Amino acid sequence: MSQQGQPLRAVAARVLQSVENGQSLSQCLPHAMGDVADNERPPLQALCYGTCRWFHRLDGELQARLKKPLRKSDRVVHHLMLVALFQLRFSQQATYAILNETVEACRALDKPHLTGLVNGVLRAAEREGEPPIADEIGRFSHPPWMLEKLRHNWPHDWQAILEANNTQAPMTLRVNALRFSRDDYLQLLSDAGIDANATLFAPHGIQLAAPVPVDLLPWFSEGAVSVQDEAAQLCTTLMDLAPGQRVLDACAAPGGKTCAILESCGQLEEVVAIDESADRLPRVQENLERLDLVATLKQADAADIDQWWDRKPFDRILLDVPCSATGVIRRHPDIKLLRRESDIVPLASIQLGLLESMWQVLAPGGRLVYATCSVFPQENHRIIRRFLKQQDDAALVEPDVLWGRDMETGRQMLPVPESHDGFFYAVLEKPEP
């Protein structure tokens, strides 16, 4: 029982109901943390993330055990039973505790009339064990549309992508090159008893053998390192940064790539970071301050250049566009519940529109790096192909790299267990007149 008097599982059930209603875990989970004691916050996060990760498998089992669906007004109890099933199938917690505490949570949710149903369903689930997995939805625990789209787009890799999505992502760091070399920071980690190795592709990346709280990382609060996946770090290796350049990071929040740009080249003329969300820009500023970096922050729709552009062109642009985020599902398993197939076409339209707008503010001789954390071709190399057909002065640059797959108009990385996320990059240049 939390110090606020709300059972952990009841809070988790409410969080899952919020996700089903369209809120991301990053939106609703921080608020829910205030409803539980400090020592219950990590278990709450584990329950919510784990249940989202295996939602489709667990939901299939639960629906088969229910004689009829619960009323909409009782839907939170459906989520409560999913949380309990997740613990029964994927945790080492004592079964009696799961059953008893879930029944108590049902009462705390003001649903005492459903305690008998909850008790009966969960006792049967314990007694009978997990049923045989009858289909691919249960095996891979992804929504049907996503499974089929991956199968179509990646006929030789779809199963590996789905399995990678169900793993827990490693904790990866980006060493602040203005403060430490990677080798020096690896030694600091070793001295602190933290097992870690250099990443394969990102020059300043370090992957930890096991996650640790950031306050245990040497010099973290002083800006020595940041937490960032290896694939996301690669943007700076493609930008060809040099002193004196004016750089734009469009769609910048939460600011990890903005900071990586500044760390990669300490004598840039200016870095401008734009984001449409007023709620997210303070996070960018917090990251800059911790790392002792300076950027010009602007709240604006990057595509609406008349709203924010001062008519001074940029030498380098990073365009990390809004996307389906299907390359980072292992870090954000709620994407399985939030994303819809109908989202992809509108997203592709936004992505192409942003690319067209950013091209107008790129200086002749300048370079633009297009990035997504998606694995769908519709958002990636097909966008670049469409843009190149309509933009005569856009030249594709083929980076000399060892990572990713050559998609002819960009490089695609697929998520890899114990390694990087799924990402896409394309590099375009505007010729001198």
Side-chain angles (χ1 to χ4, degrees), residues 228 232-239 241 246-252 255-261 271-274 302 314-321 355 358 362 367-372 423-426:
Q228 188 179 43
Q233 294 183 39
L234 295 171
C235 64
T236 57
T237 68
L238 301 175
M239 294 184 73
L241 296 166
R246 190 175 195 231
V247 182
L248 172 65
D249 183 4
C251 315
K257 297 182 183 69
T258 306
C259 295
I261 289 168
V271 173
V272 177
I274 297 176
F314 292 92
D315 304 295
R316 297 290 184 268
I317 296 176
L318 173 62
L319 178 56
D320 187 1
V321 294
L355 192 47
M358 292 304 95
L362 182 67
R367 173 176 288 201
L368 183 151
V369 174
Y370 175 93
T372 81
F423 248 79
F424 174 83
Y425 287 108

Side-chain angles (χ1 to χ4, degrees), residues 57-367:
R57 177 184 294 186
L58 299 168
D59 195 54
E61 177 181 351
L62 180 56
Q63 291 193 50
R65 294 188 180 281
L66 293 172
K67 294 181 179 178
K68 60 180 181 179
L70 295 175
R71 294 178 302 177
K72 187 175 181 180
S73 60
D74 293 328
R75 182 69 178 170
V76 69
V77 176
H78 185 95
H79 292 110
L80 177 65
M81 288 190 282
L82 289 178
V83 170
L85 276 179
F86 167 70
Q87 290 191 291
L88 285 173
R89 303 301 179 226
F90 294 98
S91 81
Q92 303 299 315
Q93 186 157 359
T95 300
Y96 72 88
I98 297 171
L99 299 181
N100 293 342
E101 292 169 20
T102 301
V103 170
E104 288 305 310
C106 186
R107 291 193 179 95
L109 290 167
D110 296 324
K111 304 292 180 182
H113 59 289
L114 292 175
T115 54
L117 173 69
V118 169
N119 188 57
V121 167
L122 295 182
R123 288 195 180 279
E126 176 211 3
R127 183 174 62 251
E128 297 165 8
E130 186 172 14
I133 298 172
D135 56 22
E136 290 171 342
I137 304 303
R139 177 185 172 191
F140 295 112
S141 198
H142 279 65
W145 75 267
M146 193 178 290
L147 193 153
E148 290 306 317
K149 194 171 186 67
L150 288 169
R151 191 206 308 264
H152 175 73
N153 290 155
W154 299 101
H156 304 296
D157 304 280
W158 64 278
Q159 294 187 56
I161 294 170
L162 294 167
E163 288 169 353
N165 287 349
N166 288 333
T167 63
Q168 293 197 29
M171 186 172 180
T172 307
L173 310 178
R174 183 191 74 245
V175 178
N176 183 350
L178 300 175
R179 303 285 301 280
F180 289 96
S181 72
R182 179 164 64 178
D183 286 346
D184 286 346
Y185 197 79
L186 279 167
Q187 185 60 53
L188 288 175
L189 289 172
S190 178
D191 294 343
I194 299 173
D195 189 13
N197 290 288
T199 52
L200 187 59
F201 303 118
H204 307 298
I206 290 176
Q207 185 171 304
L208 304 187
V212 300
V214 293
D215 56 8
L216 295 183
L217 297 172
W219 301 95
F220 178 83
S221 60
E222 291 81 11
V225 289
S226 300
V227 178
Q228 188 179 43
D229 181 76
E230 180 182 17
Q233 294 183 39
L234 295 171
C235 64
T236 57
T237 68
L238 301 175
M239 294 184 73
D240 191 26
L241 296 166
Q245 291 173 343
R246 190 175 195 231
V247 182
L248 172 65
D249 183 4
C251 315
K257 297 182 183 69
T258 306
C259 295
I261 289 168
L262 287 159
E263 292 171 4
S264 297
C265 187
Q267 297 175 312
L268 297 169
E269 178 189 328
E270 182 184 26
V271 173
V272 177
I274 297 176
D275 203 87
E276 192 171 11
S277 171
D279 294 336
R280 300 180 72 199
L281 275 177
R283 177 76 182 280
V284 181
Q285 186 60 42
E286 289 171 11
N287 285 324
L288 288 167
E289 289 176 359
R290 182 180 63 83
L291 295 162
D292 195 22
L293 300 170
V294 177
T296 303
L297 304 188
K298 295 187 179 185
Q299 180 197 346
D301 175 0
D304 185 4
I305 59 175
D306 292 334
Q307 180 187 354
W308 61 269
W309 187 38
D310 59 5
R311 304 297 160 182
K312 184 179 179 182
F314 292 92
D315 304 295
R316 297 290 184 268
I317 296 176
L318 173 62
L319 178 56
D320 187 1
V321 294
C323 70
S324 64
T326 44
V328 293
I329 286 176
R330 59 186 190 163
R331 296 187 189 276
H332 305 281
D334 49 331
I335 290 168
K336 297 180 184 182
L337 283 71
L338 296 169
R339 195 66 65 230
R340 301 287 182 268
E341 186 172 15
S342 57
D343 296 337
I344 306 303
V345 170
L347 280 169
S349 177
I350 291 169
Q351 291 152 2
L352 185 60
L354 278 165
L355 192 47
E356 292 166 348
S357 295
M358 292 304 95
W359 200 251
Q360 298 178 58
V361 306
L362 182 67
R367 173 176 288 201

